[in-house]
Amino acid sequence: MPCEQVHGAQAAMSFIGLYLVALGVGGIKGSLPPHGAEQFDEATPRGRKQRSTFFNYFVFCLSFGGLIAVTFVVWVEDNMGWQWGFGTATLAIFLSIPIFLAGSRFYRNKIPCGSPLTTISRVLIAALLNSCASRNSTSSIANMASSPSPPIPTGKEGGQNTNSKDVESIEIPSTSLTFLNRAVSDTPACGALKCPVQQVEEVKIVMKLLPIFASAIMLNCCLTQLNTFSVQQAAQ
């Protein structure tokens, strides 16, 4: 039976469903793997082994789910109708939600500390403003690599014993992407833009990942066209 073109409310419902599926898939793919990785202690050999085991099972479940989708669900759609195929997938999702929520009290939840977009924006703006300020004035940008280390108090001074663990080591920014090191300043152009070295290093990590992300765009475009091309050939 040939497909009938939909209009009006049916077309709107179809597009809304597609957008919601894209939103849900993007959200769960970006949050579920980090959530699972945070459940294990990476500081211990046992925790690292358990985390590796988790990702093995995670990838296996994804592959097994894809196998069910292209075999059983397709058989249901061909023999019983598309509504039953989508209904089967929807039922599986609804069953997974209470199973996931059942372990909420056992999960290790990492409390977020601000938005990463805010941190990235602050570091980039601080580096730019501090760079402009250094050209127009004699205010020096903090160079953590060449700054002299403050004297470490000893137990003889003041008659107090000082534990070496209590003395915080001076953080030094890395030599890569040195432009961002200008965000670390003793006299920033704006007080709200004062950035610690840790935030600068985190932004550097994100910046280094951008080429990898960009190189994967064309690969995903090819994979998407391959899937639609196969479906189109089967429909002819």
Side-chain angles (χ1 to χ4, degrees), residues 166-183:
D166 297 334
V167 180
E168 297 182 356
S169 60
I170 299 178
E171 294 181 338
I172 301 176
S174 61
T175 56
S176 61
L177 299 176
T178 55
F179 169 77
L180 296 178
N181 291 345
R182 300 176 182 177

Side-chain angles (χ1 to χ4, degrees), residues 28-151:
I28 195 171
K29 283 188 175 181
S31 60
L32 188 57
H35 173 74
E38 290 177 355
Q39 307 308 310
F40 309 101
D41 187 7
E42 62 179 1
T44 61
R46 181 182 179 184
R48 291 191 293 268
K49 183 178 180 180
Q50 290 177 342
R51 185 176 59 178
S52 178
T53 303
F54 162 77
F55 280 107
N56 290 336
Y57 278 108
F58 179 74
V59 176
F60 171 78
C61 291
L62 288 179
S63 302
F64 185 75
L67 177 63
I68 297 298
V70 298
T71 54
F72 175 73
V73 177
V74 171
W75 179 86
V76 171
E77 292 174 348
D78 291 339
N79 293 272
M80 302 179 63
W82 283 84
Q83 66 275 14
W84 289 99
F86 285 114
T88 302
T90 304
L91 179 62
I93 293 175
F94 276 113
L95 290 177
S96 65
I97 293 176
I99 296 175
F100 178 80
L101 295 178
S104 297
R105 60 177 181 174
F106 303 105
Y107 294 150
R108 298 172 56 185
N109 297 320
K110 185 177 181 180
I111 301 177
C113 300
S115 172
L117 296 179
T118 304
T119 302
I120 295 174
S121 301
R122 181 167 59 248
V123 171
L124 294 177
I125 295 175
L128 180 61
L129 293 181
N130 292 339
S131 178
C132 295
S134 63
R135 297 176 182 177
N136 300 329
S137 63
T138 58
S139 60
S140 60
I141 303 299
N143 188 350
M144 306 299 293
S146 60
S147 298
S149 302

Side-chain angles (χ1 to χ4, degrees), residues 119-120 123-124 180 199-207:
T119 302
I120 295 174
V123 171
L124 294 177
L180 296 178
Q199 291 184 354
V200 175
E201 294 302 318
E202 291 175 353
V203 174
K204 288 183 179 181
I205 294 175
V206 175
M207 298 295 289

